[in-house]
Amino acid sequence: MTEREAAETSSHDGNWHVLIAGLSRPEAALALGPGLTLIPLESGLSVFDLAAAGAVGFREWALLEPVSHACTCEIKTAKEFGAAPGYDTLNRAWLASSLLVLRGFGRHLAVACSAYSWNVIAGHQKRTAHVSEEQLQNKGIDSAIGTPSRSLPPFEGNLLDFHVQLLVDRNARTDSVSSDDAAWLYDHFETFNRLASESEAFRLSLEAAIDWRYAKEPRLAIGRIWSGIEAIFGITSELVYRISGLSASLLEPRGQPRKARFQAVKKLYGIRSKAVHGEALPQEQLVSAMNDSYRLLRELLLITIEKGHVLGADDFDDALFG
């Protein structure tokens, strides 16, 4: 039975297929975590394919037309792995997408979800062009128009993180997700899932690391990123010195590298304060501060994942004095 035939003959089995825009097409399917697979689209996704999905229930299909050319793959997330403690089936795909962002793939978006594979939709019109001609010849024009045989299965799904503008880290990767990237995601996914589901502070920091990209301009993005940095440390007073000192201690060895990082973070926080309070700053300075602030937040999240627990006083003391 083909994938399309399976989709036509079965109801939604609880699995979800999340359409990804902005990643280079992977050469083959890659396991990103338990029950999570990055799957390349076999054909391009055309506006006619989207319209065919619209005819069977995807009401928002036209909104995806501007990014359809950038849709190269999907994340399949399996129902049996979406269990407590942790995120549900669909949100596990969001976690996998977030880990890809932290891995450096900051140019992509998870734009829509479907109950069956986007490979059923992508290339559908081209694959089934002969069906309409055969139906027209064999059953007449009324049948071809009224009950077309080439229709897709009923669509269950919706838009997800669809945005027409995206701020991007200057160092964001443009290569394809490799087997090494997939192995890193797989090895860290369950820790990531646990941290995100159990710690509100970690979840707030993670959300800041993802959704700063949707800000309208760098000034707003800087404020959002720093809300994530502050959430990691849980600091409400003496922000400048403590965040600068702790960040440098966690991320750099003793000596000049740590002192240089301390000064760099301290300078970043100064620009952050000017940005969020509306002081005039050159656009290039704002963009640079946005990129550097994001990289700091990304590094802090990655070290949290590597340690396997939310950073606390013992971690800070060890970094400062150990």
Side-chain angles (χ1 to χ4, degrees):
M1 179 180 290
T2 67
E3 188 168 21
R4 173 182 162 76
E5 290 170 339
E8 287 178 327
T9 57
S10 64
S11 59
H12 185 201
D13 57 8
N15 300 330
W16 286 104
H17 300 259
V18 176
L19 183 64
I20 303 297
L23 275 182
S24 294
R25 183 181 182 275
E27 292 296 322
L30 295 168
L32 303 182
L36 291 159
T37 309
L38 184 68
I39 301 171
L41 294 189
E42 298 167 2
S43 303
L45 183 65
S46 73
V47 65
F48 303 105
D49 297 330
L50 290 171
V56 293
F58 187 20
R59 291 182 297 177
E60 300 86 359
W61 68 269
L63 294 176
L64 290 185
E65 191 275 332
V67 299
S68 60
H69 67 284
C71 296
T72 60
C73 53
E74 65 181 2
I75 295 176
K76 180 180 179 181
T77 174
K79 177 184 178 181
E80 60 264 31
F81 290 89
Y87 277 45
D88 62 21
T89 305
L90 185 55
N91 279 307
R92 284 172 65 84
W94 180 83
L95 284 174
S97 172
S98 299
L99 271 174
L100 284 171
V101 172
L102 296 181
R103 186 68 175 172
F105 297 97
R107 296 176 180 270
H108 83 278
L109 288 172
V111 292
C113 63
S114 169
Y116 52 80
S117 174
W118 289 91
N119 270 312
V120 176
I121 301 171
H124 167 77
Q125 293 299 87
K126 186 178 292 187
R127 285 195 304 270
T128 61
H130 67 284
V131 175
S132 292
E133 182 63 27
E134 292 173 359
Q135 187 177 9
L136 180 63
Q137 292 178 359
N138 297 333
K139 297 184 179 181
I141 191 169
D142 290 341
S143 174
I145 295 176
T147 55
S149 299
R150 66 188 299 195
S151 294
L152 286 165
F155 184 87
E156 291 184 60
N158 211 333
L159 292 180
L160 295 175
D161 283 338
F162 176 74
H163 299 268
V164 295
Q165 284 188 310
L166 191 67
L167 296 172
V168 178
D169 172 31
R170 285 173 172 168
N171 293 329
R173 294 171 60 181
T174 58
D175 56 322
S176 298
V177 179
S178 68
S179 57
D180 287 343
D181 295 317
W184 183 87
L185 262 75
Y186 202 101
D187 289 344
H188 293 90
F189 185 83
E190 288 305 329
T191 297
F192 190 58
N193 183 21
R194 175 175 52 79
L195 290 171
S197 61
E198 294 178 356
S199 169
E200 184 173 358
F202 182 86
R203 185 167 58 252
L204 289 173
S205 299
L206 174 62
E207 289 173 354
I210 304 304
D211 64 26
W212 70 270
R213 301 177 299 159
Y214 314 148
K216 292 183 179 180
E217 51 96 9
R219 189 182 296 269
L220 297 176
I222 290 170
R224 181 60 177 139
I225 292 167
W226 275 90
S227 71
I229 294 171
E230 292 172 12
I232 284 179
F233 292 112
I235 295 172
T236 58
S237 61
E238 299 179 7
L239 286 171
V240 180
Y241 190 87
R242 295 178 68 191
I243 286 180
S244 302
L246 290 174
S247 296
S249 299
L250 285 164
L251 301 173
E252 302 291 350
R254 288 181 178 274
Q256 188 58 37
R258 183 174 295 185
K259 183 177 180 181
R261 178 63 76 103
F262 171 80
Q263 296 293 347
V265 175
K266 187 176 177 183
K267 181 178 178 181
L268 270 180
Y269 193 89
I271 297 174
R272 170 260 179 212
S273 297
K274 292 179 180 179
V276 300
H277 292 112
E279 291 190 35
L281 292 169
Q283 185 69 9
E284 178 58 29
Q285 188 176 21
L286 285 170
V287 172
S288 294
M290 178 187 75
N291 282 273
D292 292 343
S293 297
Y294 167 66
R295 284 194 289 274
L296 173 61
L297 174 56
R298 176 173 173 261
E299 288 180 281
L300 291 169
L301 284 168
L302 288 173
I303 198 172
T304 303
I305 296 167
E306 293 289 346
K307 286 181 175 292
H309 59 259
V310 175
L311 300 180
D314 288 343
D315 298 293
F316 304 147
D317 290 347
D318 287 344
L320 285 168
F321 308 115

